């Protein structure tokens, strides 16, 4: 989470809680269905969440904007 907060310091408390909840969820599901590389689970925030959020540093989405995740696998980048 420190990595995410470094680049996105203005997250709401709800967003912080949601991002914080990702690691245990992905760690659990990764043992069952190999969502991401098992060797990479410890780098979830850097290699997956932060990379998925990078578009938010380049584009400003207006309130109400809808974005579609079309089969990106493992929920990235759609979930973050």
């Amino acid at each position: 989470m420190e990595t995410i907060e470094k680049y996105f310091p203005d997250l709401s408390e709800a967003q912080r809680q949601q991002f914080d909840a990702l690691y245990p969820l992905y760690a659990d599901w990764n043992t069952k269905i190999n969502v991401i590389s098992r060797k990479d689970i410890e780098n979830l925030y850097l290699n997956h969440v932060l990379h998925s959020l990078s578009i938010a540093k380049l584009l400003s989405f207006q309130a109400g904007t809808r974005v579609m995740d079309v089969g990106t696998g493992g929920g990235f980048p759609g979930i973050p």
Side-chain angles (χ1 to χ4, degrees):
M1 267 306 298
E2 290 175 20
T3 303
I4 303 305
E5 291 175 332
K6 176 181 175 182
Y7 293 97
F8 294 91
D10 298 327
L11 294 174
S12 69
E13 184 57 32
Q15 289 169 318
R16 281 182 172 71
Q17 289 175 1
Q18 290 170 326
F19 283 125
D20 198 40
L22 284 179
Y23 189 88
L25 286 170
Y26 270 89
D28 178 48
W29 278 101
N30 212 44
T31 63
K32 299 171 187 174
I33 60 172
N34 198 31
V35 179
I36 62 172
S37 170
R38 287 189 171 100
K39 294 181 256 178
D40 203 33
I41 191 69
E42 292 174 7
N43 297 310
L44 177 75
Y45 288 107
L46 178 62
N47 292 349
H48 300 281
V49 178
L50 186 61
H51 288 181
S52 297
L53 292 173
S54 63
I55 191 171
K57 283 293 190 184
L58 300 172
L59 299 174
S60 294
F61 295 108
Q62 295 180 9
T65 298
R66 297 172 70 181
V67 179
M68 184 181 349
D69 175 357
V70 182
T72 54
F76 295 103
I79 290 175

